[in-house]
PDB file of all heavy atoms in Angstrom:
ATOM      1  N   ALA A  97      74.492 -10.222-106.454  1.00  0.00           N
ATOM      2  CA  ALA A  97      75.751 -10.893-106.042  1.00  0.00           C
ATOM      3  C   ALA A  97      76.845 -10.352-106.987  1.00  0.00           C
ATOM      4  O   ALA A  97      77.996 -10.174-106.668  1.00  0.00           O
ATOM      5  CB  ALA A  97      75.625 -12.374-106.135  1.00  0.00           C
ATOM      6  N   MET A  98      76.446 -10.097-108.280  1.00  0.00           N
ATOM      7  CA  MET A  98      77.411  -9.639-109.258  1.00  0.00           C
ATOM      8  C   MET A  98      77.467  -8.103-109.237  1.00  0.00           C
ATOM      9  O   MET A  98      78.202  -7.473-110.032  1.00  0.00           O
ATOM     10  CB  MET A  98      77.067 -10.130-110.671  1.00  0.00           C
ATOM     11  CG  MET A  98      77.326 -11.607-110.809  1.00  0.00           C
ATOM     12  SD  MET A  98      76.752 -12.230-112.376  1.00  0.00           S
ATOM     13  CE  MET A  98      77.866 -11.381-113.554  1.00  0.00           C
ATOM     14  N   ARG A  99      76.679  -7.480-108.395  1.00  0.00           N
ATOM     15  CA  ARG A  99      76.594  -6.003-108.208  1.00  0.00           C
ATOM     16  C   ARG A  99      76.236  -5.282-109.530  1.00  0.00           C
ATOM     17  O   ARG A  99      76.884  -4.291-109.869  1.00  0.00           O
ATOM     18  CB  ARG A  99      77.924  -5.523-107.588  1.00  0.00           C
ATOM     19  CG  ARG A  99      78.298  -6.180-106.290  1.00  0.00           C
ATOM     20  CD  ARG A  99      77.515  -5.746-105.124  1.00  0.00           C
ATOM     21  NE  ARG A  99      77.674  -4.327-104.868  1.00  0.00           N
ATOM     22  CZ  ARG A  99      78.701  -3.826-104.147  1.00  0.00           C
ATOM     23  NH1 ARG A  99      79.619  -4.631-103.622  1.00  0.00           N
ATOM     24  NH2 ARG A  99      78.776  -2.510-103.930  1.00  0.00           N
ATOM     25  N   SER A 160      76.142   0.223-106.632  1.00  0.00           N
ATOM     26  CA  SER A 160      76.275  -0.777-107.706  1.00  0.00           C
ATOM     27  C   SER A 160      75.435  -2.023-107.331  1.00  0.00           C
ATOM     28  O   SER A 160      75.952  -3.105-107.238  1.00  0.00           O
ATOM     29  CB  SER A 160      77.706  -1.070-107.972  1.00  0.00           C
ATOM     30  OG  SER A 160      77.860  -1.787-109.185  1.00  0.00           O
ATOM     31  N   VAL A 197      81.367   0.198-112.156  1.00  0.00           N
ATOM     32  CA  VAL A 197      82.566  -0.094-111.346  1.00  0.00           C
ATOM     33  C   VAL A 197      83.424  -1.079-112.106  1.00  0.00           C
ATOM     34  O   VAL A 197      84.655  -0.943-112.153  1.00  0.00           O
ATOM     35  CB  VAL A 197      82.122  -0.675-109.945  1.00  0.00           C
ATOM     36  CG1 VAL A 197      83.370  -1.049-109.146  1.00  0.00           C
ATOM     37  CG2 VAL A 197      81.187   0.271-109.262  1.00  0.00           C
ATOM     38  N   ASN A 198      82.819  -2.097-112.622  1.00  0.00           N
ATOM     39  CA  ASN A 198      83.546  -3.062-113.450  1.00  0.00           C
ATOM     40  C   ASN A 198      82.748  -3.208-114.766  1.00  0.00           C
ATOM     41  O   ASN A 198      81.522  -3.178-114.796  1.00  0.00           O
ATOM     42  CB  ASN A 198      83.570  -4.452-112.789  1.00  0.00           C
ATOM     43  CG  ASN A 198      84.546  -4.444-111.604  1.00  0.00           C
ATOM     44  OD1 ASN A 198      85.680  -4.268-111.732  1.00  0.00           O
ATOM     45  ND2 ASN A 198      83.949  -4.674-110.411  1.00  0.00           N
ATOM     46  N   ASN A 204      90.191  -4.924-121.254  1.00  0.00           N
ATOM     47  CA  ASN A 204      90.560  -5.108-119.870  1.00  0.00           C
ATOM     48  C   ASN A 204      89.799  -6.344-119.342  1.00  0.00           C
ATOM     49  O   ASN A 204      88.814  -6.146-118.636  1.00  0.00           O
ATOM     50  CB  ASN A 204      90.207  -3.851-119.049  1.00  0.00           C
ATOM     51  CG  ASN A 204      90.567  -4.010-117.608  1.00  0.00           C
ATOM     52  OD1 ASN A 204      91.483  -4.723-117.242  1.00  0.00           O
ATOM     53  ND2 ASN A 204      89.792  -3.343-116.717  1.00  0.00           N
ATOM     54  N   PRO A 205      90.291  -7.511-119.708  1.00  0.00           N
ATOM     55  CA  PRO A 205      89.492  -8.688-119.433  1.00  0.00           C
ATOM     56  C   PRO A 205      89.296  -8.964-117.938  1.00  0.00           C
ATOM     57  O   PRO A 205      90.272  -8.882-117.192  1.00  0.00           O
ATOM     58  CB  PRO A 205      90.204  -9.829-120.148  1.00  0.00           C
ATOM     59  CG  PRO A 205      91.535  -9.327-120.542  1.00  0.00           C
ATOM     60  CD  PRO A 205      91.495  -7.831-120.423  1.00  0.00           C
ATOM     61  N   VAL A 206      88.091  -9.280-117.559  1.00  0.00           N
ATOM     62  CA  VAL A 206      87.820  -9.656-116.132  1.00  0.00           C
ATOM     63  C   VAL A 206      86.788 -10.839-116.230  1.00  0.00           C
ATOM     64  O   VAL A 206      86.199 -11.010-117.245  1.00  0.00           O
ATOM     65  CB  VAL A 206      87.154  -8.526-115.349  1.00  0.00           C
ATOM     66  CG1 VAL A 206      88.122  -7.361-115.139  1.00  0.00           C
ATOM     67  CG2 VAL A 206      85.849  -8.087-115.919  1.00  0.00           C
ATOM     68  N   THR A 207      86.692 -11.579-115.147  1.00  0.00           N
ATOM     69  CA  THR A 207      85.749 -12.648-115.063  1.00  0.00           C
ATOM     70  C   THR A 207      84.639 -12.184-114.113  1.00  0.00           C
ATOM     71  O   THR A 207      84.942 -11.777-112.980  1.00  0.00           O
ATOM     72  CB  THR A 207      86.399 -13.931-114.557  1.00  0.00           C
ATOM     73  OG1 THR A 207      87.435 -14.349-115.431  1.00  0.00           O
ATOM     74  CG2 THR A 207      85.362 -15.080-114.433  1.00  0.00           C
ATOM     75  N   MET A 208      83.416 -12.287-114.536  1.00  0.00           N
ATOM     76  CA  MET A 208      82.288 -11.959-113.674  1.00  0.00           C
ATOM     77  C   MET A 208      81.485 -13.218-113.480  1.00  0.00           C
ATOM     78  O   MET A 208      81.358 -14.037-114.384  1.00  0.00           O
ATOM     79  CB  MET A 208      81.347 -10.934-114.357  1.00  0.00           C
ATOM     80  CG  MET A 208      81.968  -9.540-114.403  1.00  0.00           C
ATOM     81  SD  MET A 208      80.742  -8.344-115.004  1.00  0.00           S
ATOM     82  CE  MET A 208      81.755  -6.889-114.966  1.00  0.00           C
ATOM     83  N   GLY A 209      80.937 -13.403-112.293  1.00  0.00           N
ATOM     84  CA  GLY A 209      80.057 -14.564-112.031  1.00  0.00           C
ATOM     85  C   GLY A 209      80.836 -15.826-111.856  1.00  0.00           C
ATOM     86  O   GLY A 209      80.298 -16.924-112.144  1.00  0.00           O
ATOM     87  N   ALA A 210      82.075 -15.766-111.387  1.00  0.00           N
ATOM     88  CA  ALA A 210      82.838 -16.960-111.171  1.00  0.00           C
ATOM     89  C   ALA A 210      82.303 -17.764-109.919  1.00  0.00           C
ATOM     90  O   ALA A 210      81.432 -17.216-109.173  1.00  0.00           O
ATOM     91  CB  ALA A 210      84.295 -16.640-110.917  1.00  0.00           C
ATOM     92  N   PHE A 211      82.722 -18.989-109.799  1.00  0.00           N
ATOM     93  CA  PHE A 211      82.221 -19.741-108.638  1.00  0.00           C
ATOM     94  C   PHE A 211      82.939 -19.279-107.326  1.00  0.00           C
ATOM     95  O   PHE A 211      83.973 -18.632-107.414  1.00  0.00           O
ATOM     96  CB  PHE A 211      82.295 -21.227-108.880  1.00  0.00           C
ATOM     97  CG  PHE A 211      83.734 -21.884-108.759  1.00  0.00           C
ATOM     98  CD1 PHE A 211      83.802 -23.180-108.368  1.00  0.00           C
ATOM     99  CD2 PHE A 211      84.836 -21.170-109.106  1.00  0.00           C
ATOM    100  CE1 PHE A 211      85.058 -23.775-108.260  1.00  0.00           C
ATOM    101  CE2 PHE A 211      86.091 -21.765-109.053  1.00  0.00           C
ATOM    102  CZ  PHE A 211      86.210 -23.070-108.583  1.00  0.00           C
ATOM    103  N   LEU A 213      84.184 -20.872-103.713  1.00  0.00           N
ATOM    104  CA  LEU A 213      84.363 -22.083-102.858  1.00  0.00           C
ATOM    105  C   LEU A 213      83.889 -21.789-101.433  1.00  0.00           C
ATOM    106  O   LEU A 213      83.763 -20.621-101.029  1.00  0.00           O
ATOM    107  CB  LEU A 213      85.773 -22.516-102.852  1.00  0.00           C
ATOM    108  CG  LEU A 213      86.259 -23.083-104.245  1.00  0.00           C
ATOM    109  CD1 LEU A 213      87.748 -23.275-104.225  1.00  0.00           C
ATOM    110  CD2 LEU A 213      85.583 -24.460-104.488  1.00  0.00           C
ATOM    111  N   GLY A 215      85.462 -21.623 -98.900  1.00  0.00           N
ATOM    112  CA  GLY A 215      86.461 -20.799 -98.270  1.00  0.00           C
ATOM    113  C   GLY A 215      86.278 -19.301 -98.529  1.00  0.00           C
ATOM    114  O   GLY A 215      86.874 -18.489 -97.830  1.00  0.00           O
ATOM    115  N   ILE A 216      85.439 -18.927 -99.478  1.00  0.00           N
ATOM    116  CA  ILE A 216      85.219 -17.509 -99.804  1.00  0.00           C
ATOM    117  C   ILE A 216      83.785 -17.068 -99.820  1.00  0.00           C
ATOM    118  O   ILE A 216      83.476 -15.927 -99.762  1.00  0.00           O
ATOM    119  CB  ILE A 216      85.929 -17.204-101.104  1.00  0.00           C
ATOM    120  CG1 ILE A 216      86.303 -15.732-101.205  1.00  0.00           C
ATOM    121  CG2 ILE A 216      85.062 -17.582-102.336  1.00  0.00           C
ATOM    122  CD1 ILE A 216      87.470 -15.344-100.328  1.00  0.00           C
ATOM    123  N   GLU A 219      82.544 -14.734 -97.019  1.00  0.00           N
ATOM    124  CA  GLU A 219      83.070 -13.380 -97.159  1.00  0.00           C
ATOM    125  C   GLU A 219      82.334 -12.614 -98.232  1.00  0.00           C
ATOM    126  O   GLU A 219      81.969 -11.460 -98.179  1.00  0.00           O
ATOM    127  CB  GLU A 219      84.540 -13.442 -97.468  1.00  0.00           C
ATOM    128  CG  GLU A 219      85.426 -13.726 -96.252  1.00  0.00           C
ATOM    129  CD  GLU A 219      85.245 -15.146 -95.658  1.00  0.00           C
ATOM    130  OE1 GLU A 219      84.904 -16.028 -96.426  1.00  0.00           O
ATOM    131  OE2 GLU A 219      85.486 -15.330 -94.466  1.00  0.00           O
ATOM    132  N   ALA A 220      82.025 -13.369 -99.341  1.00  0.00           N
ATOM    133  CA  ALA A 220      81.277 -12.753-100.468  1.00  0.00           C
ATOM    134  C   ALA A 220      79.910 -12.280-100.010  1.00  0.00           C
ATOM    135  O   ALA A 220      79.446 -11.175-100.359  1.00  0.00           O
ATOM    136  CB  ALA A 220      81.143 -13.741-101.603  1.00  0.00           C
ATOM    137  N   MET A 222      79.040 -11.520 -96.887  1.00  0.00           N
ATOM    138  CA  MET A 222      79.214 -10.393 -95.948  1.00  0.00           C
ATOM    139  C   MET A 222      79.383  -9.096 -96.780  1.00  0.00           C
ATOM    140  O   MET A 222      78.779  -8.088 -96.447  1.00  0.00           O
ATOM    141  CB  MET A 222      80.469 -10.693 -95.100  1.00  0.00           C
ATOM    142  CG  MET A 222      80.836  -9.458 -94.175  1.00  0.00           C
ATOM    143  SD  MET A 222      79.668  -9.338 -92.810  1.00  0.00           S
ATOM    144  CE  MET A 222      80.459  -7.988 -91.868  1.00  0.00           C
ATOM    145  N   ALA A 223      80.174  -9.168 -97.789  1.00  0.00           N
ATOM    146  CA  ALA A 223      80.452  -7.958 -98.575  1.00  0.00           C
ATOM    147  C   ALA A 223      79.170  -7.505 -99.266  1.00  0.00           C
ATOM    148  O   ALA A 223      78.856  -6.270 -99.329  1.00  0.00           O
ATOM    149  CB  ALA A 223      81.495  -8.254 -99.649  1.00  0.00           C
ATOM    150  N   GLN A 226      76.851  -5.909 -96.615  1.00  0.00           N
ATOM    151  CA  GLN A 226      77.303  -4.601 -96.213  1.00  0.00           C
ATOM    152  C   GLN A 226      77.014  -3.596 -97.360  1.00  0.00           C
ATOM    153  O   GLN A 226      76.672  -2.446 -97.121  1.00  0.00           O
ATOM    154  CB  GLN A 226      78.831  -4.551 -95.976  1.00  0.00           C
ATOM    155  CG  GLN A 226      79.190  -5.297 -94.681  1.00  0.00           C
ATOM    156  CD  GLN A 226      78.593  -4.591 -93.455  1.00  0.00           C
ATOM    157  OE1 GLN A 226      78.708  -3.361 -93.377  1.00  0.00           O
ATOM    158  NE2 GLN A 226      77.960  -5.320 -92.564  1.00  0.00           N
TER     159      GLN A 226
ATOM    160  N   SER B   4      96.218 -15.918-100.828  1.00  0.00           N
ATOM    161  CA  SER B   4      95.432 -17.105-101.109  1.00  0.00           C
ATOM    162  C   SER B   4      94.010 -16.757-100.633  1.00  0.00           C
ATOM    163  O   SER B   4      93.761 -15.904 -99.771  1.00  0.00           O
ATOM    164  CB  SER B   4      95.994 -18.271-100.339  1.00  0.00           C
ATOM    165  OG  SER B   4      95.231 -18.591 -99.234  1.00  0.00           O
ATOM    166  N   GLU B   5      93.073 -17.560-101.217  1.00  0.00           N
ATOM    167  CA  GLU B   5      91.639 -17.348-100.877  1.00  0.00           C
ATOM    168  C   GLU B   5      91.379 -17.299 -99.376  1.00  0.00           C
ATOM    169  O   GLU B   5      90.567 -16.478 -98.892  1.00  0.00           O
ATOM    170  CB  GLU B   5      90.913 -18.453-101.582  1.00  0.00           C
ATOM    171  CG  GLU B   5      89.419 -18.434-101.374  1.00  0.00           C
ATOM    172  CD  GLU B   5      88.856 -19.727-101.992  1.00  0.00           C
ATOM    173  OE1 GLU B   5      88.624 -19.697-103.197  1.00  0.00           O
ATOM    174  OE2 GLU B   5      88.668 -20.711-101.273  1.00  0.00           O
ATOM    175  N   LEU B   6      92.003 -18.208 -98.677  1.00  0.00           N
ATOM    176  CA  LEU B   6      91.735 -18.314 -97.213  1.00  0.00           C
ATOM    177  C   LEU B   6      92.319 -17.174 -96.390  1.00  0.00           C
ATOM    178  O   LEU B   6      92.048 -17.081 -95.172  1.00  0.00           O
ATOM    179  CB  LEU B   6      92.198 -19.670 -96.703  1.00  0.00           C
ATOM    180  CG  LEU B   6      91.445 -20.852 -97.313  1.00  0.00           C
ATOM    181  CD1 LEU B   6      92.008 -22.197 -96.820  1.00  0.00           C
ATOM    182  CD2 LEU B   6      90.001 -20.751 -96.983  1.00  0.00           C
ATOM    183  N   GLU B   7      93.123 -16.324 -97.029  1.00  0.00           N
ATOM    184  CA  GLU B   7      93.638 -15.161 -96.268  1.00  0.00           C
ATOM    185  C   GLU B   7      92.827 -13.894 -96.561  1.00  0.00           C
ATOM    186  O   GLU B   7      92.961 -12.879 -95.883  1.00  0.00           O
ATOM    187  CB  GLU B   7      95.041 -14.871 -96.725  1.00  0.00           C
ATOM    188  CG  GLU B   7      96.046 -15.940 -96.275  1.00  0.00           C
ATOM    189  CD  GLU B   7      97.404 -15.746 -97.000  1.00  0.00           C
ATOM    190  OE1 GLU B   7      97.422 -15.289 -98.141  1.00  0.00           O
ATOM    191  OE2 GLU B   7      98.415 -16.086 -96.360  1.00  0.00           O
ATOM    192  N   LEU B   8      91.879 -13.966 -97.455  1.00  0.00           N
ATOM    193  CA  LEU B   8      91.106 -12.778 -97.876  1.00  0.00           C
ATOM    194  C   LEU B   8      89.989 -12.501 -96.868  1.00  0.00           C
ATOM    195  O   LEU B   8      89.282 -13.340 -96.505  1.00  0.00           O
ATOM    196  CB  LEU B   8      90.488 -12.944 -99.236  1.00  0.00           C
ATOM    197  CG  LEU B   8      91.424 -13.021-100.462  1.00  0.00           C
ATOM    198  CD1 LEU B   8      90.640 -13.387-101.702  1.00  0.00           C
ATOM    199  CD2 LEU B   8      92.150 -11.706-100.626  1.00  0.00           C
ATOM    200  N   SER B   9      89.933 -11.192 -96.450  1.00  0.00           N
ATOM    201  CA  SER B   9      88.803 -10.804 -95.638  1.00  0.00           C
ATOM    202  C   SER B   9      87.692 -10.322 -96.612  1.00  0.00           C
ATOM    203  O   SER B   9      87.927 -10.165 -97.765  1.00  0.00           O
ATOM    204  CB  SER B   9      89.162  -9.664 -94.683  1.00  0.00           C
ATOM    205  OG  SER B   9      88.755  -8.416 -95.228  1.00  0.00           O
ATOM    206  N   TRP B  10      86.499 -10.124 -96.126  1.00  0.00           N
ATOM    207  CA  TRP B  10      85.441  -9.720 -97.015  1.00  0.00           C
ATOM    208  C   TRP B  10      85.727  -8.353 -97.593  1.00  0.00           C
ATOM    209  O   TRP B  10      85.245  -8.047 -98.720  1.00  0.00           O
ATOM    210  CB  TRP B  10      84.075  -9.727 -96.276  1.00  0.00           C
ATOM    211  CG  TRP B  10      83.905  -8.730 -95.112  1.00  0.00           C
ATOM    212  CD1 TRP B  10      84.198  -8.913 -93.790  1.00  0.00           C
ATOM    213  CD2 TRP B  10      83.395  -7.389 -95.223  1.00  0.00           C
ATOM    214  NE1 TRP B  10      83.940  -7.828 -93.060  1.00  0.00           N
ATOM    215  CE2 TRP B  10      83.450  -6.859 -93.943  1.00  0.00           C
ATOM    216  CE3 TRP B  10      82.978  -6.602 -96.298  1.00  0.00           C
ATOM    217  CZ2 TRP B  10      83.049  -5.530 -93.686  1.00  0.00           C
ATOM    218  CZ3 TRP B  10      82.569  -5.326 -96.026  1.00  0.00           C
ATOM    219  CH2 TRP B  10      82.576  -4.762 -94.708  1.00  0.00           C
ATOM    220  N   LYS B  11      86.550  -7.583 -96.911  1.00  0.00           N
ATOM    221  CA  LYS B  11      86.846  -6.233 -97.409  1.00  0.00           C
ATOM    222  C   LYS B  11      87.845  -6.313 -98.630  1.00  0.00           C
ATOM    223  O   LYS B  11      87.998  -5.334 -99.274  1.00  0.00           O
ATOM    224  CB  LYS B  11      87.413  -5.349 -96.339  1.00  0.00           C
ATOM    225  CG  LYS B  11      86.446  -5.016 -95.282  1.00  0.00           C
ATOM    226  CD  LYS B  11      87.074  -4.223 -94.137  1.00  0.00           C
ATOM    227  CE  LYS B  11      86.163  -4.169 -92.963  1.00  0.00           C
ATOM    228  NZ  LYS B  11      86.811  -4.121 -91.671  1.00  0.00           N
ATOM    229  N   LEU B  13      87.623  -8.329-101.099  1.00  0.00           N
ATOM    230  CA  LEU B  13      86.978  -8.811-102.287  1.00  0.00           C
ATOM    231  C   LEU B  13      86.731  -7.667-103.279  1.00  0.00           C
ATOM    232  O   LEU B  13      86.360  -6.549-102.853  1.00  0.00           O
ATOM    233  CB  LEU B  13      85.744  -9.583-101.977  1.00  0.00           C
ATOM    234  CG  LEU B  13      85.867 -10.854-101.147  1.00  0.00           C
ATOM    235  CD1 LEU B  13      84.499 -11.472-100.902  1.00  0.00           C
ATOM    236  CD2 LEU B  13      86.816 -11.817-101.786  1.00  0.00           C
ATOM    237  N   GLU B  14      86.906  -7.975-104.565  1.00  0.00           N
ATOM    238  CA  GLU B  14      86.486  -6.961-105.583  1.00  0.00           C
ATOM    239  C   GLU B  14      85.005  -6.839-105.549  1.00  0.00           C
ATOM    240  O   GLU B  14      84.278  -7.812-105.224  1.00  0.00           O
ATOM    241  CB  GLU B  14      86.965  -7.476-106.936  1.00  0.00           C
ATOM    242  CG  GLU B  14      88.445  -7.742-107.071  1.00  0.00           C
ATOM    243  CD  GLU B  14      89.136  -6.501-107.697  1.00  0.00           C
ATOM    244  OE1 GLU B  14      88.547  -5.496-107.972  1.00  0.00           O
ATOM    245  OE2 GLU B  14      90.375  -6.625-107.856  1.00  0.00           O
ATOM    246  N   VAL B  15      84.447  -5.662-106.004  1.00  0.00           N
ATOM    247  CA  VAL B  15      83.024  -5.457-106.086  1.00  0.00           C
ATOM    248  C   VAL B  15      82.436  -6.570-106.954  1.00  0.00           C
ATOM    249  O   VAL B  15      82.885  -6.811-108.089  1.00  0.00           O
ATOM    250  CB  VAL B  15      82.717  -4.064-106.673  1.00  0.00           C
ATOM    251  CG1 VAL B  15      81.249  -3.896-106.999  1.00  0.00           C
ATOM    252  CG2 VAL B  15      83.209  -3.013-105.666  1.00  0.00           C
ATOM    253  N   GLY B  16      81.441  -7.230-106.438  1.00  0.00           N
ATOM    254  CA  GLY B  16      80.741  -8.340-107.201  1.00  0.00           C
ATOM    255  C   GLY B  16      81.656  -9.520-107.438  1.00  0.00           C
ATOM    256  O   GLY B  16      81.340 -10.331-108.287  1.00  0.00           O
ATOM    257  N   CYS B  17      82.714  -9.647-106.598  1.00  0.00           N
ATOM    258  CA  CYS B  17      83.617 -10.773-106.706  1.00  0.00           C
ATOM    259  C   CYS B  17      84.218 -11.003-108.127  1.00  0.00           C
ATOM    260  O   CYS B  17      84.391 -12.082-108.579  1.00  0.00           O
ATOM    261  CB  CYS B  17      82.941 -12.108-106.273  1.00  0.00           C
ATOM    262  SG  CYS B  17      82.519 -12.068-104.512  1.00  0.00           S
ATOM    263  N   VAL B  18      84.389  -9.832-108.810  1.00  0.00           N
ATOM    264  CA  VAL B  18      84.972  -9.867-110.107  1.00  0.00           C
ATOM    265  C   VAL B  18      86.398 -10.405-109.985  1.00  0.00           C
ATOM    266  O   VAL B  18      87.141 -10.073-109.045  1.00  0.00           O
ATOM    267  CB  VAL B  18      84.971  -8.465-110.729  1.00  0.00           C
ATOM    268  CG1 VAL B  18      86.036  -8.225-111.732  1.00  0.00           C
ATOM    269  CG2 VAL B  18      83.610  -8.178-111.295  1.00  0.00           C
ATOM    270  N   VAL B  19      86.779 -11.237-110.919  1.00  0.00           N
ATOM    271  CA  VAL B  19      88.151 -11.738-110.980  1.00  0.00           C
ATOM    272  C   VAL B  19      88.912 -10.803-111.966  1.00  0.00           C
ATOM    273  O   VAL B  19      88.629 -10.923-113.166  1.00  0.00           O
ATOM    274  CB  VAL B  19      88.236 -13.187-111.436  1.00  0.00           C
ATOM    275  CG1 VAL B  19      89.686 -13.689-111.429  1.00  0.00           C
ATOM    276  CG2 VAL B  19      87.344 -14.081-110.516  1.00  0.00           C
ATOM    277  N   SER B  20      89.729 -10.003-111.443  1.00  0.00           N
ATOM    278  CA  SER B  20      90.315  -8.932-112.300  1.00  0.00           C
ATOM    279  C   SER B  20      91.624  -9.432-112.924  1.00  0.00           C
ATOM    280  O   SER B  20      92.197  -8.697-113.763  1.00  0.00           O
ATOM    281  CB  SER B  20      90.576  -7.719-111.463  1.00  0.00           C
ATOM    282  OG  SER B  20      91.401  -8.016-110.381  1.00  0.00           O
ATOM    283  N   GLU B  21      92.086 -10.623-112.598  1.00  0.00           N
ATOM    284  CA  GLU B  21      93.335 -11.106-113.147  1.00  0.00           C
ATOM    285  C   GLU B  21      93.013 -12.229-114.080  1.00  0.00           C
ATOM    286  O   GLU B  21      92.633 -13.356-113.648  1.00  0.00           O
ATOM    287  CB  GLU B  21      94.168 -11.582-111.982  1.00  0.00           C
ATOM    288  CG  GLU B  21      95.600 -11.980-112.284  1.00  0.00           C
ATOM    289  CD  GLU B  21      96.221 -12.626-111.072  1.00  0.00           C
ATOM    290  OE1 GLU B  21      95.717 -12.465-109.927  1.00  0.00           O
ATOM    291  OE2 GLU B  21      97.255 -13.321-111.251  1.00  0.00           O
ATOM    292  N   PRO B  22      93.112 -11.987-115.395  1.00  0.00           N
ATOM    293  CA  PRO B  22      92.723 -13.021-116.388  1.00  0.00           C
ATOM    294  C   PRO B  22      93.567 -14.284-116.236  1.00  0.00           C
ATOM    295  O   PRO B  22      94.810 -14.195-115.987  1.00  0.00           O
ATOM    296  CB  PRO B  22      92.859 -12.377-117.715  1.00  0.00           C
ATOM    297  CG  PRO B  22      93.126 -10.947-117.487  1.00  0.00           C
ATOM    298  CD  PRO B  22      93.586 -10.802-116.060  1.00  0.00           C
ATOM    299  N   GLY B  23      93.026 -15.428-116.494  1.00  0.00           N
ATOM    300  CA  GLY B  23      93.780 -16.668-116.601  1.00  0.00           C
ATOM    301  C   GLY B  23      94.285 -17.168-115.220  1.00  0.00           C
ATOM    302  O   GLY B  23      95.169 -18.075-115.185  1.00  0.00           O
ATOM    303  N   ASN B  24      93.770 -16.734-114.123  1.00  0.00           N
ATOM    304  CA  ASN B  24      94.370 -17.159-112.867  1.00  0.00           C
ATOM    305  C   ASN B  24      93.846 -18.528-112.381  1.00  0.00           C
ATOM    306  O   ASN B  24      94.196 -19.027-111.385  1.00  0.00           O
ATOM    307  CB  ASN B  24      94.175 -16.127-111.717  1.00  0.00           C
ATOM    308  CG  ASN B  24      92.728 -16.025-111.254  1.00  0.00           C
ATOM    309  OD1 ASN B  24      91.883 -16.661-111.820  1.00  0.00           O
ATOM    310  ND2 ASN B  24      92.538 -15.241-110.189  1.00  0.00           N
ATOM    311  N   TYR B  28      95.020 -22.577-109.649  1.00  0.00           N
ATOM    312  CA  TYR B  28      94.160 -23.356-108.822  1.00  0.00           C
ATOM    313  C   TYR B  28      94.591 -24.825-108.724  1.00  0.00           C
ATOM    314  O   TYR B  28      94.613 -25.545-109.711  1.00  0.00           O
ATOM    315  CB  TYR B  28      92.731 -23.247-109.302  1.00  0.00           C
ATOM    316  CG  TYR B  28      91.676 -23.844-108.460  1.00  0.00           C
ATOM    317  CD1 TYR B  28      91.850 -23.876-107.058  1.00  0.00           C
ATOM    318  CD2 TYR B  28      90.549 -24.426-108.984  1.00  0.00           C
ATOM    319  CE1 TYR B  28      90.893 -24.474-106.231  1.00  0.00           C
ATOM    320  CE2 TYR B  28      89.603 -25.041-108.180  1.00  0.00           C
ATOM    321  CZ  TYR B  28      89.770 -25.054-106.782  1.00  0.00           C
ATOM    322  OH  TYR B  28      88.856 -25.606-106.030  1.00  0.00           O
ATOM    323  N   TRP B  33      92.300 -32.431-104.836  1.00  0.00           N
ATOM    324  CA  TRP B  33      91.083 -33.202-104.730  1.00  0.00           C
ATOM    325  C   TRP B  33      91.370 -34.697-104.843  1.00  0.00           C
ATOM    326  O   TRP B  33      90.587 -35.558-104.642  1.00  0.00           O
ATOM    327  CB  TRP B  33      90.084 -32.885-105.876  1.00  0.00           C
ATOM    328  CG  TRP B  33      89.734 -31.433-106.008  1.00  0.00           C
ATOM    329  CD1 TRP B  33      90.217 -30.389-105.313  1.00  0.00           C
ATOM    330  CD2 TRP B  33      88.828 -30.868-106.928  1.00  0.00           C
ATOM    331  NE1 TRP B  33      89.706 -29.198-105.676  1.00  0.00           N
ATOM    332  CE2 TRP B  33      88.796 -29.498-106.708  1.00  0.00           C
ATOM    333  CE3 TRP B  33      88.000 -31.381-107.920  1.00  0.00           C
ATOM    334  CZ2 TRP B  33      88.022 -28.586-107.431  1.00  0.00           C
ATOM    335  CZ3 TRP B  33      87.221 -30.543-108.678  1.00  0.00           C
ATOM    336  CH2 TRP B  33      87.218 -29.163-108.415  1.00  0.00           C
TER     337      TRP B  33
END
Side-chain angles (χ1 to χ4, degrees):
Chain A
M98 290 174 67
R99 305 284 298 275
S160 197
V197 179
N198 289 298
N204 179 29
V206 296
T207 300
M208 291 186 177
F211 76 150
L213 290 169
I216 204 72
E219 284 67 28
M222 174 74 176
Q226 288 298 314
Chain B
S4 101
E5 178 186 277
L6 294 177
E7 292 168 328
L8 291 173
S9 98
W10 66 269
K11 291 175 196 150
L13 299 180
E14 301 265 1
V15 170
C17 295
V18 155
V19 181
S20 55
E21 189 188 342
N24 72 354
Y28 186 33
W33 307 4

